[in-house]
């Protein structure tokens, strides 16, 4: 976001329940309408066809829930936090809620450039809870796990193992894994992680993804992980004090 | 009662665009059902993205939910992928609002906007777990109702729909609710009883209360089986739109749909008198909404929905009294609060209209659409679309000179008296349009869109034999050849789809079995080219021993009983026949808003009058004023002062307060 004369802001929002079936593009449109209903003073691009300066983080697949989605936008004046969390949330579809806000520094790098780790909780089907642990351990123990992935409509064999940054079963009584994936060189998709688990499990378990929730997105800088709201905060006098 | 959501939810990850089935649109409600309330399920039997914006359905949804004795929810035809999952897992049709089983409602009410959705109606009834034929239903089954423009020939669905509702639904829906409520309270003993009671409600047609008599292939009479059932069912008409400022809470879908914007209805009805246009004929008279109410609906609607686009809808929006002042006011008000674009979906073909369009579309001037409908002045007089070449060229000149780069031209082919001269006239118009455009911009382009004409009931062309598939194909190729070296592009509607539409459009009760066969053979979503095949329709006709040409391409005679003669849109049959003769004689008929009444029958028969804010014709263009315009690019646009004195001579118009 170029600050220039405006007030850039980063929002975190959740997407839970039936609304998880709407697409990334639908979410963007819903936000644009909600900003107008809540009369948020949006800054517009100059030019022949002006549009509001809004940019989203990495897309969430249709059908996935999330506790941690982000968007950056620019306003023409300062907006206090409850306006975002209460009024904008009220104007959004049920299940989408703005949960936190932070003022953003001028010319902060975009979410798309900066987000490097995505974390998901994936409920699995086709495998009992007590069989998950060994499959996870097996996958982590391998140097490479090749699966057929579809990229731009073309099938190709990829080694997913380098992009699986962490994988564990959070609760022993549930067929569920928490996975952290890298967004570079390209974002590893959850569906391909599940394919990897199935490849490792062989014929034993027809593992499939049953329900997926994105739990975190991280920005790595200087060897440390940061919550996207906590990096690139505006630190000058215009900081929103409310955003602790 | 049942909430099917958990079962539906597990199917959604496997289908395309699953958000079509979740509801939760802004403006939607989750009504509290109660045994004392009549539960309506309003259905649009096509895909969600086509059905959701339907204004008629949204209006009834609000009106019913405001009542103490009714609740209303919505449903749309599930796409083929979800349908397969539903059938495989035993999940019935459901409402999108509370995911309640369709079979748990008292009424399934269908909006019929096009004939090719008829098979989807059967499919929805079947998916609801209700027998598709009325005669096989029991008291515990929901009543199957249908309304909308296609209800004006109800006969093809007469054995499948329990009751049809003719005309505007705002008022009659209350009376129907009361009849069904009383039946519910009485214990729903006999289905025949509630159907008989419904048949006595003005505007309601219950096909099972009538016997149809045939003589060979011909229908020779349709007679009521009870003395208190009317021999002719008249449509309902809301006299004053001002009393019905709906929808007040237009639904805002979560996914992209057609007409995805705020839609505000300027007026209902049209007296331009285009002879091919069923909508114009069956929605008379013209009833304008008061200007101030339109402004309020636009202002409140934008604020509530968050849309940044508003369309002012009606059959010919530029004819609204004071349209220029209205759009000017909206544009000014909205530019102050943010960037809102305004559109007039039905542009008249003249430079004045382009002027209005340029005022509302200050940015993004990419394409404008005009509908001259026929390629020669002679043929435009036949169809009573009184657009001169001068009008068209002036409109196009105005468009290109004001920054538009693309013009779309809509035409019909297969019109009465049409010859190849008329068809080639389309090519000539299109070529001239591009030439005009190139004077202003090198990138000027024109697209010609050609639809095969399907004659419709309650129009002067209801007696006309539709062109065969081969003839329509030949005309399309003729046009394509003529434009082969032209920069104008041609698109055309599938002549086979027009033929199937022709079967259903003027079909009688025997066509019902054909529709059922097409449905049973898998023919749903017939409006979608990837699912349409004429073969299914022809096979079904053959299986029923019916001759497609007898229904589609045959000219009807004056004395012939038409299958919809017992349904009245208010137009005298004599008037329609005279207008048909006038068409063949190439005589145009002026707009009765601004010329003396020629008594089509609607105003006089129903004691109605046009409701217009000003009874002077709109400015600009011969189509607006009847004046003959000089050829060329300078067009006299004279704006008449607001509140001008009504002209003497009596137009039958009332000035809206």
């Amino acid at each position: 976001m170029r600050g220039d004369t405006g007030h850039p802001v980063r929002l975190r929002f959740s997407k839970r329940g039936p609304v998880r079936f709407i697409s990334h593009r639908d979410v963007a449109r819903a936000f644009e309408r909600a900003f107008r209903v809540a009369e948020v003073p949006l800054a517009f691009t100059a030019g022949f066809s002006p549009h509001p300066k809004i940019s989203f983080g990495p897309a969430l697949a249709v059908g996935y829930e999330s506790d941690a989605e982000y968007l950056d936008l620019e306003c023409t004046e300062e907006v206090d936090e409850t306006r975002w969390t209460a009024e904008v949330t009220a104007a959004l579809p049920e299940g989408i809620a703005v949960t936190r806000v932070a003022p953003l520094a001028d010319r902060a790098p975009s979410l798309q450039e900066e987000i490097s780790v995505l974390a998901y909780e994936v409920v699995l089907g086709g495998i009992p809870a007590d069989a998950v642990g060994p499959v996870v351990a097996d996958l982590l123990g391998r140097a490479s796990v090749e699966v057929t992935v579809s990229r731009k409509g073309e099938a190709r064999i990829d080694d997913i193992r380098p992009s699986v940054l962490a994988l564990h079963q959070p609760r022993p009584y549930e067929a569920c894994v928490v996975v952290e994936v890298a967004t570079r060189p390209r974002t590893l998709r959850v569906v391909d992680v599940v394919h990897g688990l199935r490849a490792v499990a062989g014929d034993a378990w027809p593992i499939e993804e049953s329900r997926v929730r994105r739990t975190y997105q991280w920005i790595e800088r200087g060897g440390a992980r940061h919550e996207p709201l906590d990096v690139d905060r505006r630190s000058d006098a215009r900081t929103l004090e409310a955003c602790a | 009662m049942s909430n099917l959501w958990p079962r539906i939810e597990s199917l959604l990850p496997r289908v395309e665009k699953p958000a079509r089935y979740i509801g939760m649109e802004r403006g939607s409600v989750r009504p509290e059902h109660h045994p004392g309330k009549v539960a309506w399920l309003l259905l649009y039997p096509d895909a969600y993205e086509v059905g959701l914006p339907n204004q008629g359905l949204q209006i009834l949804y609000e009106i019913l939910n405001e009542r103490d004795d009714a609740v209303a929810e919505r449903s749309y035809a599930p796409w083929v992928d979800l349908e397969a999952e539903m059938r495989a897992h035993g999940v019935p049709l459901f409402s999108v609002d509370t995911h309640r089983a369709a079979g748990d409602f008292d009424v399934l009410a269908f909006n019929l906007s096009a004939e090719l959705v008829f098979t989807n109606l059967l499919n929805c009834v079947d998916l609801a777990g209700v027998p598709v034929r009325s005669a096989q239903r029991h008291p515990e089954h929901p009543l199957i109702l249908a309304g909308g423009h296609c209800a004006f020939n109800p006969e093809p669905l007469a054995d499948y729909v329990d009751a049809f509702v003719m005309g505007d639904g705002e008022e009659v829906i209350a009376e129907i609710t009361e009849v069904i409520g009383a039946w519910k309270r009485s214990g729903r003993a006999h289905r025949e009883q509630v159907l008989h009671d419904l048949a006595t409600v003005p505007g309601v047609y219950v096909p099972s209360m009538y016997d149809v008599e045939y003589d060979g292939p011909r229908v020779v009479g349709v007679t009521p089986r009870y003395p208190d059932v009317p021999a002719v069912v008249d449509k309902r008409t809301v006299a004053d739109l001002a009393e019905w400022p709906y929808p007040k809470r237009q639904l805002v879908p979560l996914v992209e749909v057609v007409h995805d914007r705020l839609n505000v209805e300027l007026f209902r009805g049209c007296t331009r008198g285009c002879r091919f246009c069923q909508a114009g004929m069956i929605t008379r008279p013209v009833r304008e909404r008061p200007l101030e109410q339109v402004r309020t609906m636009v202002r409140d609607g934008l604020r509530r929905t968050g849309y940044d686009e508003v369309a002012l809808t009606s059959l010919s929006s530029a004819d609204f009294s004071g349209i220029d002042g209205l759009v000017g006011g909206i544009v000014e008000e909205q530019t102050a609060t943010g960037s809102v674009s305004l559109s007039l979906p039905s542009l008249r073909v003249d430079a004045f209209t382009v002027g209005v369009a340029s005022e509302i579309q200050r940015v993004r001037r990419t394409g404008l659409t005009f509908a001259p409908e026929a390629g020669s002045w002679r043929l435009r007089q036949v169809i009573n679309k009184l657009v001169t070449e001068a009008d068209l060229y002036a409109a196009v000149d105005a468009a290109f000179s004001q920054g538009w780069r693309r013009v779309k031209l809509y035409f019909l082919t297969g019109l009465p008296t049409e010859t190849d001269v008329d068809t080639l006239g389309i090519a000539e118009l299109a070529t001239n349009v591009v030439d005009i455009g190139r004077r202003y911009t090198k990138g000027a382009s024109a697209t010609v869109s050609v639809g095969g004409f399907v004659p419709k009931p309650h129009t002067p062309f209801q007696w006309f034999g539709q062109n065969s598939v081969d003839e329509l194909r030949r005309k399309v190729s003729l046009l394509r050849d003529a434009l082969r070296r032209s920069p104008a592009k041609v698109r055309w509607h599938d002549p086979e789809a027009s033929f199937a539409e022709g079967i259903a459009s003027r079909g009688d009760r025997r066509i019902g079995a054909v529709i059922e066969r097409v449905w049973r053979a898998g023919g749903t979503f017939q409006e979608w080219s990837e699912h349409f095949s004429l073969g299914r329709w022809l096979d079904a006709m053959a299986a029923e021993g019916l001759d497609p040409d007898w229904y589609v391409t045959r000219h009807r005679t004056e004395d012939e009983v038409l299958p919809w003669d017992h349904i009245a849109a208010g137009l005298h049959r004599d008037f329609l026949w005279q207008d048909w003769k006038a068409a063949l004689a190439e005589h145009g008929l002026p707009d009765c808003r601004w010329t003396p009444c020629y008594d089509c029958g609607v105003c006089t028969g129903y004691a109605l009058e046009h409701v217009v804010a000003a009874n002077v014709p709109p400015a600009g263009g011969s189509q607006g004023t009847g004046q003959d315009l000089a050829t060329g690019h300078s067009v006299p646009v004279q704006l008449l002062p607001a509140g001008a004195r009504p002209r003497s001579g009596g137009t039958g118009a009332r000035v809206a307060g």
Side-chain angles (χ1 to χ4, degrees), chain B residues 208-464:
Chain B
S208 60
M209 298 285 137
Y210 296 78
D211 291 318
V212 182
E213 205 183 325
Y214 301 95
D215 177 11
R218 285 174 192 253
V219 173
V220 291
V222 180
T223 28
R225 289 171 37 215
Y226 299 96
D228 58 346
V229 171
V232 172
V233 178
D234 279 292
K235 72 165 179 182
R236 294 294 291 263
T237 308
V238 169
D240 191 356
L241 274 196
E243 290 173 17
W244 300 98
Y246 293 90
K248 293 172 181 165
R249 296 177 298 278
Q250 188 186 305
L251 299 173
V252 185
L254 302 181
V255 295
E256 276 184 273
V257 299
V258 302
H259 313 312
D260 202 354
R261 60 198 176 201
L262 180 70
N263 294 296
V264 176
E265 188 182 27
L266 291 180
F267 62 89
R268 218 171 275 179
C270 179
T271 42
R272 286 280 172 193
C274 301
R275 291 174 175 132
F276 55 86
C277 178
Q278 188 191 38
M281 292 289 164
I282 64 175
T283 60
R284 293 172 177 211
V286 170
R287 289 146 292 149
E288 288 189 2
R289 196 180 286 291
L291 194 64
E292 223 15 75
Q293 191 177 63
V294 173
R295 288 210 177 98
T296 306
M297 288 174 78
V298 169
R299 197 181 299 126
D300 293 354
L302 288 172
R303 193 177 295 146
R304 211 194 52 74
T305 58
Y307 272 124
D308 62 351
E309 186 183 350
V310 53
L312 302 173
T313 66
S314 52
L315 291 171
S316 179
S317 297
D319 284 348
F320 185 68
S321 309
I323 184 72
D324 48 331
L326 171 67
V327 301
I330 292 172
V331 168
E332 252 165 59
E333 187 174 322
Q334 296 305 327
T335 326
T337 59
S339 157
V340 169
S341 69
L342 191 59
S343 59
L344 296 179
S346 50
L347 282 185
R348 213 170 57 209
V349 188
D350 58 48
F352 168 74
T353 310
V354 175
V356 173
S358 74
E359 179 157 10
I360 65 186
Q361 224 172 355
R362 290 182 181 162
V363 291
R364 284 187 296 222
R365 287 185 185 168
T366 47
L368 269 191
T369 303
F370 299 106
E373 308 288 4
S376 71
W377 172 244
R378 185 199 68 79
L379 191 54
R380 287 193 295 275
Q381 284 178 297
V382 169
I383 64 175
N384 208 42
K385 179 92 186 189
L386 302 176
V387 180
T388 62
E389 265 174 57
D391 290 329
L392 175 65
Y393 296 149
V396 166
D397 192 285
F400 285 119
S401 71
Q402 292 173 46
W404 274 281
R405 286 174 303 169
R406 219 168 50 224
V407 164
K408 235 195 258 177
L409 302 170
Y410 276 35
F411 292 94
L412 288 168
T413 187
L415 291 163
T417 77
E418 184 176 81
T419 68
D420 290 352
V421 173
D422 305 304
T423 305
L424 294 169
I426 297 176
E428 198 185 317
L429 287 179
T431 306
N432 291 344
V433 163
V434 178
D435 287 346
I436 293 172
R438 299 247 157 127
R439 282 187 223 146
Y440 297 98
T441 166
K442 263 170 83 178
S445 74
T447 304
V448 171
S449 219
V450 188
F453 172 58
V454 179
K456 293 289 158 87
H458 306 281
T459 68
F461 290 171
Q462 62 183 350
W463 289 280
F464 173 64

Side-chain angles (χ1 to χ4, degrees), chain A residues 176-241:
Chain A
C176 172
V177 292
V178 167
V179 63
E180 292 178 6
V181 301
T183 62
R184 288 186 189 78
R186 63 185 65 83
T187 302
L188 175 60
R189 300 181 314 159
V190 172
V191 61
D192 293 325
V193 174
V194 174
H195 285 158
L197 288 167
R198 184 152 61 190
V200 168
D203 294 334
W205 309 111
I207 301 174
E208 55 179 24
E209 110 190 8
S210 155
R211 190 143 175 167
V212 181
R213 180 163 50 94
R214 191 183 264 175
T215 47
Y216 296 98
Q217 300 189 36
W218 301 110
I219 291 175
E220 289 174 307
R221 210 176 277 174
R225 279 184 180 181
H226 303 275
E227 150 70 43
L229 287 173
D230 297 336
V231 293
D232 301 322
R233 285 174 77 102
R234 177 182 290 270
S235 56
D236 64 21
R238 289 197 284 166
T239 303
L240 289 177
E241 295 303 328

Side-chain angles (χ1 to χ4, degrees), chain A residues 2 7 18 29 32 47 140 150 240-241:
Chain A
R2 293 179 61 83
H7 297 253
R29 290 171 346 111
E32 286 190 29
L140 290 175
S150 147
L240 289 177
E241 295 303 328

Side-chain angles (χ1 to χ4, degrees), chain B residues 97-305:
Chain B
D97 299 293
T98 69
H99 298 97
R100 185 184 178 92
D104 291 346
F105 286 79
D106 298 313
V107 191
L108 308 189
F110 288 88
N111 178 306
L112 298 177
S113 304
E115 292 85 356
L116 290 182
V117 304
F118 288 175
T119 58
N120 277 16
L121 179 145
L122 267 57
N123 200 39
C124 287
V125 171
D126 184 60
L127 275 172
V130 176
V132 293
R133 285 183 175 258
S134 310
Q136 289 160 5
R137 292 179 199 135
H138 298 295
E140 67 271 22
H141 290 126
L143 291 162
I144 308 297
L145 266 53
H149 289 183
C150 288
F152 278 86
N153 178 15
E155 290 308 289
L157 289 175
D159 291 332
Y160 302 84
V161 169
D162 294 313
F164 290 89
V165 184
M166 305 300 157
D168 298 332
E170 282 92 341
E171 292 166 350
V172 69
I173 203 154
E175 294 151 48
I176 296 172
T177 298
E178 280 156 24
V179 169
I180 298 172
W183 181 59
K184 243 186 122 169
R185 283 191 298 280
S186 76
R188 296 174 70 133
H190 302 287
R191 214 174 163 85
E192 176 97 358
Q193 180 208 326
V194 68
L195 293 176
H196 191 161
D197 289 346
L198 283 172
T200 64
V201 174
V204 178
Y205 169 60
V206 179
S208 60
M209 298 285 137
Y210 296 78
D211 291 318
V212 182
E213 205 183 325
Y214 301 95
D215 177 11
R218 285 174 192 253
V219 173
V220 291
V222 180
T223 28
R225 289 171 37 215
Y226 299 96
D228 58 346
V229 171
V232 172
V233 178
D234 279 292
K235 72 165 179 182
R236 294 294 291 263
T237 308
V238 169
D240 191 356
L241 274 196
E243 290 173 17
W244 300 98
Y246 293 90
K248 293 172 181 165
R249 296 177 298 278
Q250 188 186 305
L251 299 173
V252 185
L254 302 181
V255 295
E256 276 184 273
V257 299
V258 302
H259 313 312
D260 202 354
R261 60 198 176 201
L262 180 70
N263 294 296
V264 176
E265 188 182 27
L266 291 180
F267 62 89
R268 218 171 275 179
C270 179
T271 42
R272 286 280 172 193
C274 301
R275 291 174 175 132
F276 55 86
C277 178
Q278 188 191 38
M281 292 289 164
I282 64 175
T283 60
R284 293 172 177 211
V286 170
R287 289 146 292 149
E288 288 189 2
R289 196 180 286 291
L291 194 64
E292 223 15 75
Q293 191 177 63
V294 173
R295 288 210 177 98
T296 306
M297 288 174 78
V298 169
R299 197 181 299 126
D300 293 354
L302 288 172
R303 193 177 295 146
R304 211 194 52 74
T305 58

Side-chain angles (χ1 to χ4, degrees), chain A residues 17-23 25-27 29-30 32-34 36-37 39 44 48-50 62-63 90-95 210-211, chain B residues 5 9 12-13 17-19 22 24 26 30 252-257 260 302-308 338-340 362-365:
Chain A
V19 80
R20 72 181 187 279
F21 290 112
I22 75 172
S23 70
R25 197 179 140 80
D26 296 331
V27 170
R29 290 171 346 111
E32 286 190 29
R33 287 194 301 255
R36 283 192 292 265
V37 169
E39 293 176 12
F44 282 79
F48 192 62
S49 170
V62 171
L92 283 164
E94 188 182 327
S210 155
R211 190 143 175 167
Chain B
W5 174 249
E9 189 180 28
L12 293 188
K17 302 188 201 165
I22 65 175
M24 305 206 303
R26 196 170 176 78
R30 290 184 189 133
V252 185
L254 302 181
V255 295
E256 276 184 273
V257 299
D260 202 354
L302 288 172
R303 193 177 295 146
R304 211 194 52 74
T305 58
Y307 272 124
D308 62 351
S339 157
V340 169
R362 290 182 181 162
V363 291
R364 284 187 296 222
R365 287 185 185 168

Side-chain angles (χ1 to χ4, degrees), chain B residues 79 82 114 129 156 370 382 409 415 475 477 516 555 568:
Chain B
W79 193 246
L82 182 63
F370 299 106
V382 169
L409 302 170
L415 291 163
K475 287 174 176 169
S477 336
E516 183 176 342
H555 294 296

